[in-house]
Amino acid sequence: MELLNRIRIVMVNTSDSGNIGAAARAMKTMGISDLVLVEPKEFPTAKATARAAGAADVLYQARVVPTLDEALADCQMVFGASARMRTIPWPLMTPREATQFVLNEPEGASIAIVFGREDAGLTNEELRRCHYHICIPGNESYGVLNVAAAVQVICYEMRMAVLAQQQAETGGAPAAKPVMPLEITDWDEPLVSAEDMERFMKHFEETLLDIGFFDPNNPKQLMTRARRLFMRTRMDRLEMNLMRGVLSTVQKRLKGE
Amino acid sequence: MELLNRIRIVMVNTSDSGNIGAAARAMKTMGISDLVLVEPKEFPTAKATARAAGAADVLYQARVVPTLDEALADCQMVFGASARMRTIPWPLMTPREATQFVLNEPEGASIAIVFGREDAGLTNEELRRCHYHICIPGNESYGVLNVAAAVQVICYEMRMAVLAQQQAETGGAPAAKPVMPLEITDWDEPLVSAEDMERFMKHFEETLLDIGFFDPNNPKQLMTRARRLFMRTRMDRLEMNLMRGVLSTVQKRLKGE
């Protein structure tokens, strides 16, 4: 169950505090307790506490932060829950597929799952901050889950995966062997945090400006594509040092140093 | 999806009509629409309609009946959702296990899934009316899901099972879909070939030489690490053009072009 302690639920800009309470309850029933709220419209409220029922402790311990950056700063893996199709496809998976990635995270890695606004979900900007997008395969004609219901389904899948793995380890039924998407188990270097990743993307963009590089056909999408590329690699610290070293060296050479 | 049309959700003696609305929404998002209410404490209400959101149609079509008998009369298979342990053990399964029973029902059979009161669940008498009990494996210290959240989880499992079966029947795809390292299906650009990848790595190495970059601690491993980083991204053609454009621009700037 140690893995469940490393999962953080992040709710962005939630309008109805009842949904925050319901999400806290959904989390606790599945053994997940780290809740971070980015700019909730109303919180705390009596309504949230009522809907949390026996999970008031999760609600009281919830942190309220002003930006998504702060919510994700110390996380190595970021999922975004998304119902909408985007213009640039992002690595997309069902909650069940996502569990395989989570099970393969190295020990100690923190995992964030980000949920958007009740009416509009996550912005494209916010979705680009995620390594992967999770989509609950819903009804084509009306597939929009309530945000707390989506938290329940995804936390349930995470718990089911952990239980299946435990069962397999303790000699129970042979569980489906976890797929190793990026062979990230037994990695030799710690993975970078979301904060480090943002600094790298900023450094990359600066360097592109310094060298005067832009994609004449699609200037706006350039950084989005670059971000998608680097996000999905899950860089480790040595790799990031290497890449930042390259960028810094390019910048120095341009100044004639 | 025909199977989903044969699943009925039965809610017994619900106190809070908000939960009825939320259950209607949970059902509709998963493609299930047959809702029967046994002696709800309050219904219909504005609260229920508000919580149903885009699933008002499910709510309007819901039947209100005075007894569980009436709700179940034409059903061939009855599941009861139960969180509590009973003195007499009953065939008990997780939602995922239950889907296997549902998939094996003969064509045309109607399946009911019964949910109890917010505070006390189903009585022993009601539970004995069920063929099987479904238990969502929750947190030992607090595993009580909100009733609408439980409806969401169980309807989600039913839909996932139907989708997996469809996929197996149509595409011949294995029921357990192999998780691709990155859901590269439906990507917007074709992935690069091994040959392109080699050219890119060579270009990257040349550029590092041009800028005079090397890792003083580990010169040999530098390219190995860079290769591991870029190999595992599975670059597409547009991403590679972008990266090679960056490298070429750096090379030009160094020559003062």
Side-chain angles (χ1 to χ4, degrees):
Chain A
M1 294 298 160
E2 185 267 340
L3 179 62
L4 298 175
N5 294 330
R6 292 192 277 116
I7 296 179
R8 170 177 306 165
I9 300 297
V10 178
M11 298 178 80
V12 178
N13 234 211
T14 316
S15 298
D16 180 350
S17 60
N19 285 329
I20 298 175
R25 178 172 178 179
M27 290 167 61
K28 185 165 181 183
T29 61
M30 296 295 119
I32 293 173
S33 59
D34 184 10
L35 176 60
V36 177
L37 307 171
V38 180
E39 277 203 311
K41 293 269 168 67
E42 44 173 34
F43 185 81
T45 66
K47 192 181 182 186
T49 309
R51 292 279 295 280
D57 53 336
V58 171
L59 211 55
Y60 295 150
Q61 291 160 21
R63 283 189 296 129
V64 177
V65 297
T67 63
L68 182 58
D69 274 338
E70 255 181 78
L72 302 179
D74 57 341
C75 290
Q76 282 76 27
M77 163 77 106
V78 181
F79 290 97
S82 168
R84 290 194 283 155
M85 296 302 290
R86 305 289 155 174
T87 42
I88 297 186
W90 212 262
L92 180 73
M93 53 189 74
T94 66
R96 197 159 300 169
E97 288 164 346
T99 63
Q100 298 308 310
F101 285 72
V102 169
L103 287 178
N104 282 311
E105 279 298 286
E107 293 214 1
S110 292
I111 298 137
I113 309 175
V114 186
F115 294 82
R117 297 151 193 82
E118 286 94 334
D119 52 350
L122 293 168
T123 64
N124 285 338
E125 176 64 29
E126 288 158 353
L127 281 165
R128 280 195 289 265
R129 298 294 315 278
C130 304
H131 295 97
Y132 303 109
H133 295 164
I134 301 180
C135 183
I136 299 173
N139 187 346
E140 292 76 14
S141 69
Y142 182 66
V144 192
L145 276 70
N146 163 273
V147 63
V151 170
Q152 182 76 67
V153 164
I154 291 175
C155 290
Y156 161 79
E157 281 283 7
M158 294 297 159
R159 184 179 184 83
M160 289 294 285
V162 169
L163 289 174
Q165 196 185 44
Q166 275 189 341
Q167 201 172 29
E169 281 170 5
T170 57
K177 192 182 167 240
V179 183
M180 310 231 183
L182 295 173
E183 303 286 342
I184 274 291
T185 43
D186 302 324
W187 205 249
D188 56 342
E189 291 284 325
L191 300 183
V192 300
S193 67
E195 198 172 19
D196 294 332
M197 196 63 205
E198 287 312 301
R199 285 202 199 100
F200 169 71
M201 289 312 303
K202 206 174 159 202
H203 194 175
F204 187 75
E205 187 169 10
E206 279 170 10
T207 311
L208 293 197
L209 287 171
D210 288 353
I211 63 171
F213 178 81
F214 67 101
D215 177 352
N217 301 314
N218 227 337
K220 282 184 198 165
Q221 291 204 332
L222 191 148
M223 278 310 295
T224 301
R225 291 200 174 265
R227 175 179 282 275
R228 183 180 74 174
L229 174 70
F230 286 111
M231 287 296 275
R232 73 172 189 268
T233 63
R234 317 288 321 283
M235 290 168 102
D236 68 36
R237 242 180 256 167
L238 202 56
E239 290 166 344
M240 180 160 287
N241 290 345
L242 189 161
M243 289 302 293
R244 293 199 64 166
V246 171
L247 297 177
S248 298
T249 308
V250 167
Q251 289 177 312
K252 274 187 207 162
R253 293 293 169 273
L254 286 175
K255 289 181 200 154
E257 290 173 27
Chain B
M1 294 300 162
E2 184 269 337
L3 179 62
L4 298 176
N5 294 330
R6 292 192 275 116
I7 296 179
R8 171 178 304 167
I9 300 298
V10 179
M11 298 179 80
V12 178
N13 233 210
T14 316
S15 298
D16 179 351
S17 60
N19 286 328
I20 298 175
R25 178 173 179 178
M27 291 168 59
K28 185 165 181 184
T29 60
M30 296 296 119
I32 294 174
S33 59
D34 184 9
L35 175 61
V36 177
L37 308 170
V38 180
E39 278 203 310
K41 293 270 167 68
E42 46 173 32
F43 186 81
T45 65
K47 192 181 183 186
T49 308
R51 292 279 294 280
D57 54 335
V58 172
L59 212 55
Y60 295 150
Q61 291 160 19
R63 284 188 296 131
V64 178
V65 297
T67 64
L68 183 58
D69 275 339
E70 252 180 82
L72 303 178
D74 57 342
C75 291
Q76 283 76 31
M77 162 77 104
V78 182
F79 290 97
S82 168
R84 289 195 285 160
M85 297 301 291
R86 304 290 155 172
T87 43
I88 299 182
W90 212 260
L92 181 72
M93 54 188 75
T94 66
R96 198 160 300 172
E97 288 163 348
T99 62
Q100 298 310 308
F101 285 72
V102 169
L103 288 178
N104 286 318
E105 278 299 283
E107 293 213 3
S110 292
I111 298 135
I113 310 175
V114 186
F115 294 82
R117 297 152 194 83
E118 285 94 336
D119 52 350
L122 293 168
T123 65
N124 285 338
E125 176 63 28
E126 288 158 352
L127 280 165
R128 281 195 287 267
R129 299 293 317 279
C130 304
H131 296 97
Y132 302 110
H133 295 165
I134 300 179
C135 182
I136 298 173
N139 187 347
E140 293 76 14
S141 68
Y142 181 66
V144 193
L145 275 70
N146 163 272
V147 63
V151 170
Q152 182 76 67
V153 165
I154 291 174
C155 290
Y156 162 79
E157 281 283 10
M158 295 297 159
R159 183 179 184 83
M160 288 295 285
V162 168
L163 289 175
Q165 197 187 42
Q166 273 189 341
Q167 200 172 32
E169 281 170 5
T170 58
K177 187 181 165 206
V179 179
M180 294 280 291
L182 310 156
E183 274 294 301
I184 279 289
T185 43
D186 302 325
W187 206 248
D188 57 342
E189 292 285 325
L191 300 184
V192 299
S193 66
E195 196 175 18
D196 293 333
M197 196 65 207
E198 289 311 304
R199 285 202 198 102
F200 168 72
M201 289 312 302
K202 206 175 160 201
H203 194 174
F204 187 74
E205 187 169 9
E206 278 170 12
T207 311
L208 293 197
L209 287 171
D210 288 352
I211 64 170
F213 178 83
F214 67 100
D215 176 354
N217 300 314
N218 226 338
K220 282 182 199 168
Q221 290 206 331
L222 191 149
M223 279 310 296
T224 303
R225 289 200 175 266
R227 173 179 285 276
R228 184 181 71 173
L229 174 69
F230 286 111
M231 289 296 277
R232 71 173 189 270
T233 62
R234 320 276 321 278
M235 289 167 100
D236 69 37
R237 240 180 260 164
L238 202 55
E239 291 166 343
M240 179 158 287
N241 290 344
L242 189 161
M243 289 302 295
R244 292 199 65 166
V246 172
L247 296 177
S248 298
T249 307
V250 167
Q251 290 177 312
K252 274 187 208 162
R253 294 290 170 275
L254 286 175
K255 290 183 198 152
E257 291 175 26

